[in-house]
Amino acid sequence: MCPGHLTATLSSIVTVAGGSRWQDSHQATCCTAGTLRHREHGSSSVRIAMSHQILLLLAVLTQGLATSQQRDKVPCEMVDKEVSCQGLGLLQVPSMLPRDIEALDLSGNQLRSILASPLGFYMALRHLDLSTNEISFIQTGVFQALPHLEHLNLARNRLAAGTVLSAPGLGPLPRVTSLDLSGNSLYSGLVERLLGEAPALLTLSLAENSLTRLARHTFWGTPALERLDLHSNVLMDIEDGAFEALPHLAHLNLSRNSLTCISDFSLQQLRVLDLSCNSIEAFQTAPEPWAEYQLAWLDLRENKLLHFPDLAALPRLIYLNVSNNLIRLPAGPPQGGEGIHAPSEGWSALPFSNPSRNASSHPLSQLLNLDLSYNEIELVPEGFLEPLTSLRFLNLSRNCLRGFAVPGAAFLPCLVHLDVSHNALATLALASRALGSLRTLLLQDNALQDLPPYTFAGLASLQRLNLQGNRVRPCGGPGEPGALGCVAFSGLSSLRVLNLVDNEMERLRAGAFLHTPLTELDLSANPGLDVVTGALAGLEASLEVLALQGNGLAVLQVDLPCFSCLKRLNLAENRLSRLPAWTQAVSLEVLDLRNNSFSLLPGSAMGGLETSLRRLYLQGNPLSCCGNGWLAAQLHQGRVDVDGTQDLTCRFGSQEEVALSHVRPEDCEKGGLKNVNLIIILTFALVLAILLTTLATCCCVRRQKFGQQYKA
């Protein structure tokens, strides 16, 4: 019942009661013949009537309050002292929640205003999530009235559209440590009024707004700030001293803005700086010789850098990403002077530009990760990488490199991952015992050919090697004569994964991988490849994944049942019609036979796979509808997942293709009876023809004899 209805009911009840009293009084005054007993009886009647009306009033009020409480209840979820009212379509903050809750999630509703009542009821709140609403009005002091509030999320609202920005904005936030204002269309000049005083604030997000400029006083009210997220704005200018009021700032995200230059970088306390996806053409630190910069993580990817950035003042840097720029490395120092006098040539910023430094004092001696991919680097200058003694990950992919050389064992001693893929490499020179820690070497999509035979033999820790899209030819085993320009892959005791896809290989010789315990080998996309008997010898006890897709193989000269650990086998896009017989249980789980010439998969050959096989690919084969009892059993019993079962087709002799899943056993029985009848008819015809031929021959002979006797 609505409050208005309660008021109307109460008024009517009071009117009725008052009217009764007036009527009884009037009768008592005007009546001249009544007795005292009659008057007493009238008074008791009035009292009884009034009691009934009061009870009725109480019942109505009780019912109204119960109805009001029931209407205020919302289906929020509560666990301990955390309440979630997410995505319930609420128009206002619910008022009937427990008063001692500490976390309240009201995200994804339709709230438009935040008022002190009822939010102020929940004095114990520490976490308040108001994100993804339509909030444009916040009552002054509403958050200040929550003395324990620490985390406030107002992301994705309409704070810039309403009166929320009238002074004092959000009001003082004395204990709030985390504040998210992202996605509110805030623009420069409004943020200062909105923030106010937040002396305990440690994390602030202003991402995905419309800020174009940061002023000196923008963050004066947040002196304790440690993390600041400004990504996805339109920042073009940062006023000098904009971050001076933040002595504890350690993480700064300025990615996806419109910055064009970072000059005189002087945030010594900063540890993480993200400047990716801007239009930065140059990055330089401030000329402060005694400054001790703490920066350890710098992201400059997807900018417009023309030269390697000046990082001489950043000795603690461990992560550097300058991918997707326009960087070109100079071939050598400019003539007639030291590199420090030619910064425009990009030489002074390079790691080796000051030869007087020893390796331990070099500005990049602690660097662990360097990404130079997607640039325009044509060569790596001699000595460029040598000072990077701690480097573990190096990415030089998708540049214009024509050669890569590792001069000695001391070169990049800690490197574990090297990516030089998608270049134009024609030469690769690896010194003996070089790159002793290297585990992954990516060389795909280059122009490597005629490499020295033992190019990879000195990589003692190499586990993964990708040579796809080159012109590399494997040599045979240790006792086999090697072709001119072949590369030895035998005796690499640490190698586990080898990719030789699309290398125009013509012949894989016997023993090519002896004493190399590969677990994954991909030889696909080498049309016309001749895999000789014994080519995969030595891999029977280790190989788990084998791919021979798209090689045009008509006969498979590999004894597959001997590979006891094989789990995935890809033989797609060949001309195979027969498989070796798996008579004993093996480990094969996935078998790809697409686009071959298989008509039958007899149970005698596939029986050993029943306990392990989980997935079978068969599309694009001229399957026979009858005689595939093993395959039919797998389809009907569901023991093996046959990919594209609905698309698999088969033929009854020379008839049109039909869906294999629609074939019934009796269809094959009928076909068998027809075949038997046909055989009987043909046999009878043949016997009859023989009899007729014999009879005709005999008649001819008798006629000849009779003719001779007649002439005689």
Side-chain angles (χ1 to χ4, degrees):
M1 181 177 290
C2 296
H5 295 163
L6 285 172
T7 304
T9 303
L10 180 61
S11 300
S12 63
I13 293 174
V14 172
T15 302
V16 171
S20 299
R21 290 196 301 272
W22 177 84
Q23 185 177 3
D24 292 338
S25 177
H26 178 72
Q27 291 176 353
T29 304
C30 298
C31 183
T32 58
T35 62
L36 178 61
R37 187 175 184 179
H38 179 74
R39 287 196 298 270
E40 289 176 352
H41 178 72
S43 299
S44 63
S45 299
V46 170
R47 287 196 295 270
I48 292 172
M50 290 183 64
S51 300
H52 289 167
Q53 290 165 353
I54 291 172
L55 290 174
L56 178 62
L57 173 62
L58 291 175
V60 171
L61 288 174
T62 303
Q63 182 180 3
L65 289 173
T67 304
S68 178
Q69 292 177 0
Q70 182 68 25
R71 187 172 63 100
D72 197 48
K73 289 182 179 179
V74 290
C76 298
E77 297 179 358
M78 182 171 178
V79 179
D80 295 332
K81 295 185 178 182
E82 299 182 1
V83 177
S84 175
C85 303
Q86 183 181 15
L88 298 178
L90 301 179
L91 299 176
Q92 61 183 7
V93 177
S95 60
M96 299 304 295
L97 300 175
R99 296 295 189 262
D100 61 344
I101 60 174
E102 297 182 357
L104 177 57
D105 185 354
L106 289 166
S107 62
N109 285 287
Q110 301 176 29
L111 306 180
R112 296 187 177 181
S113 59
I114 302 299
L115 305 178
S117 176
L119 187 60
F121 297 163
Y122 311 118
M123 301 289 290
L125 272 181
R126 296 181 181 273
H127 297 255
L128 178 59
D129 190 344
L130 296 168
S131 62
T132 318
N133 279 280
E134 301 175 10
I135 299 170
S136 59
F137 176 81
I138 298 177
Q139 186 175 349
T140 301
V142 63
F143 300 124
Q144 187 179 8
L146 302 175
H148 302 289
L149 187 62
E150 297 177 357
H151 304 278
L152 176 59
N153 190 346
L154 285 163
R156 296 176 296 282
N157 278 284
R158 302 177 60 192
L159 299 184
T163 56
V164 67
L165 293 176
S166 60
L170 296 180
L173 303 173
R175 296 194 60 178
V176 173
T177 60
S178 174
L179 175 61
D180 191 343
L181 297 172
S182 60
N184 276 285
S185 301
L186 302 176
Y187 50 91
S188 299
L190 299 184
V191 174
E192 294 85 346
R193 282 184 282 163
L194 184 62
L195 286 178
E197 295 294 327
L201 193 62
L202 302 177
T203 301
L204 172 63
S205 177
L206 292 168
E208 300 175 6
N209 282 292
S210 302
L211 304 176
T212 58
R213 186 172 184 271
L214 295 180
R216 288 180 60 90
H217 58 281
T218 300
F219 303 109
W220 280 3
T222 58
L225 201 62
E226 296 178 356
R227 293 174 175 265
L228 176 58
D229 190 351
L230 290 159
H231 85 265
S232 301
N233 278 275
V234 203
L235 287 172
M236 294 181 286
D237 181 32
I238 299 177
E239 188 175 327
D240 290 343
F243 301 114
E244 284 184 358
L246 307 176
H248 305 289
L249 187 63
H251 295 251
L252 176 59
N253 189 344
L254 288 166
S255 64
R256 299 187 181 279
N257 279 280
S258 301
L259 301 172
T260 59
C261 181
I262 301 296
S263 59
D264 296 336
F265 173 77
S266 59
L267 299 178
Q268 298 182 30
Q269 79 283 7
L270 204 64
R271 300 195 59 183
V272 176
L273 176 59
D274 191 345
L275 291 167
S276 61
C277 305
N278 280 274
S279 299
I280 298 173
E281 298 180 0
F283 178 92
Q284 291 183 341
T285 54
E288 300 179 13
W290 304 110
E292 295 185 2
Y293 289 93
Q294 306 298 316
L295 194 65
W297 197 95
L298 176 59
D299 194 342
L300 286 163
R301 70 181 187 276
E302 295 187 46
N303 279 284
K304 297 181 180 179
L305 292 172
L306 299 175
H307 308 294
F308 196 79
D310 181 6
L311 307 173
L314 306 177
R316 292 178 172 82
L317 202 63
I318 60 175
Y319 175 91
L320 174 61
N321 191 337
V322 288
S323 62
N324 283 277
N325 279 278
L326 306 172
I327 295 175
R328 291 188 178 186
L329 300 179
Q335 297 180 357
E338 296 294 332
I340 196 171
H341 300 298
S344 62
E345 297 297 327
W347 181 261
S348 63
L350 296 182
F352 59 93
S353 60
N354 191 343
S356 62
R357 291 193 183 101
N358 57 42
S360 61
S361 63
H362 194 274
L364 297 182
S365 61
Q366 297 186 31
L367 194 65
L368 301 179
N369 192 316
L370 174 59
D371 193 340
L372 282 160
S373 60
Y374 288 92
N375 278 284
E376 299 179 3
I377 301 172
E378 296 182 356
L379 60 86
V380 178
E382 183 179 354
F384 173 71
L385 298 172
E386 190 170 355
L388 310 182
T389 53
S390 301
L391 196 66
R392 295 175 60 84
F393 301 91
L394 174 61
N395 191 348
L396 285 163
S397 65
R398 298 188 184 276
N399 278 281
C400 308
L401 293 172
R402 292 183 173 85
F404 187 80
V406 178
F411 186 83
L412 301 177
C414 298
L415 194 68
V416 298
H417 183 103
L418 174 59
D419 189 349
V420 203
S421 62
H422 302 280
N423 278 278
L425 289 182
T427 61
L428 178 66
L430 304 178
S432 177
R433 291 180 294 179
L435 303 177
S437 300
L438 191 67
R439 297 179 184 177
T440 300
L441 177 56
L442 305 180
L443 294 166
Q444 65 267 28
D445 293 313
N446 279 286
L448 295 173
Q449 60 181 349
D450 299 331
L451 294 176
Y454 299 102
T455 298
F456 306 108
L459 302 177
S461 302
L462 188 63
Q463 297 180 2
R464 182 181 296 268
L465 176 59
N466 192 336
L467 287 163
Q468 178 176 344
N470 286 279
R471 299 296 178 266
V472 175
R473 293 172 293 172
C475 298
E480 293 286 329
L484 184 63
C486 71
V487 177
F489 292 103
S490 60
L492 305 182
S493 59
S494 63
L495 191 62
R496 296 295 182 270
V497 180
L498 176 60
N499 188 334
L500 289 170
V501 172
D502 188 22
N503 269 267
E504 298 185 2
M505 293 187 296
E506 298 177 354
R507 185 177 179 84
L508 191 62
R509 301 176 180 275
F513 308 108
L514 276 175
H515 310 301
T516 300
L518 293 175
T519 58
E520 297 183 24
L521 175 60
D522 197 339
L523 299 167
S524 303
N526 289 285
L529 176 64
D530 179 16
V531 182
V532 304
T533 303
L536 303 183
L539 301 180
E540 293 85 353
S542 63
L543 197 61
E544 298 178 3
V545 179
L546 174 62
L548 290 164
Q549 179 179 352
N551 289 323
L553 298 173
V555 178
L556 191 60
Q557 302 184 85
V558 180
D559 194 2
L560 293 174
C562 293
F563 290 77
S564 57
C565 297
L566 193 62
K567 296 181 180 179
R568 299 176 62 92
L569 176 60
N570 186 351
L571 296 172
E573 299 177 17
N574 284 287
R575 295 183 289 118
L576 298 172
S577 59
R578 296 181 60 186
L579 286 173
W582 279 281
T583 57
Q584 297 180 352
V586 291
S587 303
L588 194 62
E589 298 176 358
V590 180
L591 177 59
D592 193 342
L593 299 174
R594 288 174 296 176
N595 300 318
N596 274 279
S597 302
F598 291 101
S599 59
L600 297 175
L601 293 177
S604 59
M606 309 294 289
L609 301 180
E610 290 187 356
T611 58
S612 63
L613 196 62
R614 296 291 177 267
R615 195 164 185 82
L616 176 62
Y617 298 86
L618 272 174
Q619 291 180 336
N621 282 281
L623 296 173
S624 173
C625 294
C626 299
N628 272 313
W630 179 86
L631 179 58
Q634 308 312 312
L635 290 177
H636 291 295
Q637 297 174 11
R639 287 181 295 187
V640 178
D641 182 9
V642 181
D643 184 66
T645 302
Q646 301 301 324
D647 299 326
L648 282 180
T649 59
C650 62
R651 291 177 181 270
F652 287 106
S654 59
Q655 299 179 11
E656 293 184 358
E657 293 182 346
V658 297
L660 183 62
S661 58
H662 295 165
V663 177
R664 298 169 299 176
E666 52 267 29
D667 296 332
C668 292
E669 291 175 2
K670 293 177 182 179
L673 290 175
K674 291 179 180 179
N675 291 336
V676 170
N677 293 335
L678 181 60
I679 292 173
I680 293 174
I681 293 172
L682 290 176
T683 303
F684 179 77
L686 180 61
V687 171
L688 184 60
I690 293 173
L691 289 175
L692 290 176
T693 303
T694 304
L695 183 60
T697 303
C698 291
C699 290
C700 183
V701 171
R702 289 181 66 101
R703 288 183 64 182
Q704 288 179 355
K705 289 183 178 181
F706 179 78
Q708 290 175 357
Q709 291 176 359
Y710 178 78
K711 290 179 180 180

